[in-house]
Structure formats: structure tokens, C-alpha cells
Amino acid sequence: MRKKTLILASALFFAGMFSASAQTNPSGTLTYSLPQTVLTFEVDAVQESFYAGPYAKYAEKYLGVVARQQDDVKTYLSSVKMNVRTEADQTKRYTVTIPKDAADRFLSLTSQGLISASQGGVTQQCEWRFPAPTDADFSHKGISSAYTTTATSLTRGSSADSVFNRTSVSQNIVVTKSVDQKAKEAADMILSLRKTRVQIVTGDTDANYSGESMGAALAEIDRLESEYLTLFLGYSDYQHQTMNYDVVPVNNSRNNVFVAFRIADAQGLVAADDITGRPYFIDVVPEAIDDSGSVKAAKATKLDIHYMIPAVCTVKLSDGESIIFQTRVPIHQFGIENIIPVK
């Protein structure tokens, strides 16, 4: 029963393929396309929007750390995945006359009209992930102040021949604190919180902290310290972006380098032809193919089937300076087109 079902399904498949082409082709002929390889890149990027703190320029003076002082937007590559697909090459369409005794051989045609001489669909999947770039962070270290005071003596000249009588008058004047003073107070609060945390952990305090109370107290100190540090170090918002890019390599003996995608700091992932972004290149290096003994496509007749022998190629993805990844995949466009007789 199963064998009859398979035979019936195959017959229906072939009948559908033939009837579709019979609308435009003479009876007994079939039009098909050769395959071409498409490299599909699934790219993940992270965009960082940084906002500088109001006391950034005082971070080194009062905390001993260097802080970023300008707002900035940067986008960097997070991960990239490459899939290899096969689809119909509409520039290589052929019509073949099908003898009645050879009809069953065309059951191997795929739904796109591709001769199934090689595996179609996804043939290989490659994935690479990259850590986010980070710098050394010492902002949460240390409990001692980064500034100090020194004593100095001032000498004031006076006139021996003159006598001045002075009267002291007390007066309160309200003045606005400078940014420097505000930064100093925030730094003093950070250092005070750090000392308090050390005292709680070491037990050098009059209050008793244990169990959940100690954990809650330390968590609140950490929260307050992070809020005050934001005034110096600023903060960042992160957005994740994912886009797919298709690259159809074209065989060019002089230069087989193609732009896969681009990344712009402000816009994030952009199209491959958007020159505002930094380009990421695909370099395709095909290996040599021994085609001795094969029948060239130029000698084909209407009773011959065209097919492709794909070339195994080394594919490199780079940013123009360093290689991000390298792998080997078969690509039809870099191969050889041959023929095989229907009979």
C-alpha cells in the first residue's frame, strides 16, 4: 500500500511540473533553472546610547577615576550567523525535450525547477558571537578620598606709620554652591557609603546586622552608591538589533569581494549599499575544479540536461582589517556548467 502511495505521489508531482510548463512550452518539453548559492547573514548588533554625568570632569579629582565626558552613541557587532541556501538562477533557464521513456528521471526536479544533483536548501550553518567591548572599571574600588588639604602661611605687609581700627560684624550670606562643591559632596557621600559597608561586613559598628537585615542593608548601600556614581560616570541605554542580509556571490576572477552588511553608530544596522555605515566584507576564494572529461555546455542540444558542479570556496568575513570568521562552503556560481544526455 505504501509503495502504491509513493508511486501515485510521484506521478502527481511530475504531472504538476509538466502541466505548469506546458502552458508556455510545446508539448513534451520542460523549462528549468540551474541553481545558485545564496549566503544569508543573520546579524545581531548592540547600540549603546551613553549619557555623560554632570560631574564627569571631577571624577578623577575626587574619585581617582577617569570618566567619559561627552554623550555618545556607538553600535558594535554582537553575533553573526551565516546560512547557505540554494535557489533558482533565473539567468540560466533551459528547455529540454523529454522522451517518454525518460519521464521518470525528471521526478528529481525540485519545486523551483532545480536539478537535484546536489543538496538543496540549507547546506551549512555557521555562527559566531563576540563579547561586548569593555574597559577596566575601578569606579567601585577604594574607600579613601582622592583629594587632601595642605596648610600654608600667608604674609601680609602693613604700614608702620598708620593705625587702623577694625570692627568685626557677623553677617550670613546665602550663595549658590558651585558645581565643584556639589561634586565634592557627592564624592564624600560615596566614600562614606563605602566605609559604612566595610564596617557592616567587618562588624565594626554599634548596630547588629545578621541574616536578612545585613543583606538588605548592603543592598541599599549598593543602590545608593550606584546612584551617586552615575553623577560622575554617567549611564548607558542598550538596544539590540537583528537583521538578515542576502549575498549572491558573482564570479569575478579579478575581485571576489562583496559587502555583506554595514553598521553605523547612530543608525545601527543599515543596508549594504548605505555608505554611512562601516562595511563588513565577504571574500570568496574558490578552489580549482578538475573538469577533464566533462562535456561542455556549449555542445548541448535540446535532448541534454544542463547541471552545475559547485566549487568549494573559502569564505572569509572581515571588517576590512581583521578576519571575523572563515569557513568552506560549496557555491554553484563559482563552479562549472556541464551537460548530461537525457538518454
Side-chain angles (χ1 to χ4, degrees):
M1 182 64 182
R2 183 179 179 183
K3 183 176 181 181
K4 292 181 179 180
T5 303
L6 291 175
I7 295 175
L8 178 61
S10 300
L12 291 175
F13 173 79
F14 177 75
M17 290 291 296
F18 186 82
S19 61
S21 62
Q23 297 176 3
T24 56
N25 297 319
S27 178
T29 63
L30 180 68
T31 298
Y32 63 94
S33 298
L34 293 184
Q36 68 178 0
T37 302
V38 180
L39 305 179
T40 299
F41 296 89
E42 181 179 329
V43 184
D44 291 334
V46 176
Q47 186 179 65
E48 177 194 10
S49 299
F50 174 75
Y51 304 94
Y55 306 153
K57 66 179 181 179
Y58 300 100
E60 186 173 9
K61 178 179 179 181
Y62 294 123
L63 296 177
V65 296
V66 178
R68 297 163 64 180
Q69 300 185 23
Q70 299 293 331
D71 294 350
D72 195 13
V73 178
K74 290 186 179 297
T75 303
Y76 53 86
L77 184 64
S78 175
S79 69
V80 57
K81 181 189 299 182
M82 185 183 76
N83 292 325
V84 183
R85 299 187 296 106
T86 301
E87 65 182 22
D89 185 353
Q90 300 301 330
T91 65
K92 293 185 179 295
R93 295 177 61 87
Y94 297 99
T95 300
V96 62
T97 301
I98 310 173
K100 293 182 179 180
D101 59 348
D104 57 339
R105 303 179 189 179
F106 285 86
L107 295 180
S108 61
L109 287 174
T110 69
S111 59
Q112 295 188 83
L114 307 178
I115 300 298
S116 299
S118 63
Q119 182 182 0
V122 177
T123 58
Q124 184 172 345
Q125 183 182 90
C126 305
E127 182 175 359
W128 291 263
R129 294 192 175 273
F130 314 95
T134 57
D135 297 325
D137 183 10
F138 299 96
S139 59
H140 292 78
K141 310 299 182 182
I143 61 174
S144 60
S145 175
Y147 59 90
T148 184
T149 58
T150 59
T152 184
S153 299
L154 300 178
T155 303
R156 182 179 61 182
S158 61
S159 177
D161 297 333
S162 302
V163 177
F164 298 94
N165 295 323
R166 299 184 180 185
T167 304
S168 299
V169 178
S170 299
Q171 185 177 5
N172 295 327
I173 301 176
V174 178
V175 295
T176 303
K177 292 181 179 179
S178 65
V179 178
D180 193 330
Q181 290 174 322
K182 294 178 181 178
K184 179 180 180 301
E185 290 180 357
D188 289 340
M189 176 59 72
I190 292 174
L191 298 176
S192 176
L193 290 170
R194 292 178 179 178
K195 290 179 180 179
T196 301
R197 179 168 53 217
V198 173
Q199 290 172 349
I200 293 175
V201 173
T202 59
D204 186 16
T205 177
D206 295 335
N208 293 325
Y209 295 95
S210 61
E212 295 182 359
S213 61
M214 177 179 288
L218 295 177
E220 182 64 16
I221 290 175
D222 292 342
R223 185 188 67 81
L224 292 173
E225 181 187 359
S226 296
E227 288 187 0
Y228 278 100
L229 278 174
T230 301
L231 299 175
F232 293 91
L233 305 180
Y235 68 95
S236 296
D237 286 335
Y238 296 92
Q239 292 183 348
H240 294 264
Q241 299 178 334
T242 300
M243 289 189 65
N244 292 333
Y245 298 88
D246 289 338
V247 178
V248 182
V250 179
N251 192 1
N252 185 339
S253 58
R254 293 179 300 175
N255 184 15
N256 291 322
V257 179
F258 313 92
V259 177
F261 55 90
R262 293 177 183 263
I263 296 180
D265 285 332
Q267 293 81 19
L269 293 171
V270 295
D273 58 354
D274 189 340
I275 61 175
T276 62
R278 302 184 303 274
Y280 287 77
F281 300 97
I282 283 293
D283 186 7
V284 180
V285 181
E287 298 179 0
I289 299 178
D290 183 7
D291 62 342
S292 59
S294 61
V295 182
K296 301 301 181 182
K299 301 179 180 180
T301 67
K302 289 186 177 181
L303 291 176
D304 295 323
I305 301 174
H306 295 250
Y307 70 98
M308 293 295 298
I309 301 176
V312 177
C313 302
T314 299
V315 178
K316 301 177 183 178
L317 176 66
S318 69
D319 58 3
E321 296 181 357
S322 57
I323 296 177
I324 296 176
F325 72 73
Q326 175 177 320
T327 187
R328 296 172 70 251
V329 295
I331 299 181
H332 289 87
Q333 299 90 296
F334 290 79
I336 299 175
E337 181 179 344
N338 282 345
I339 60 172
I340 184 173
V342 174
K343 294 185 177 182

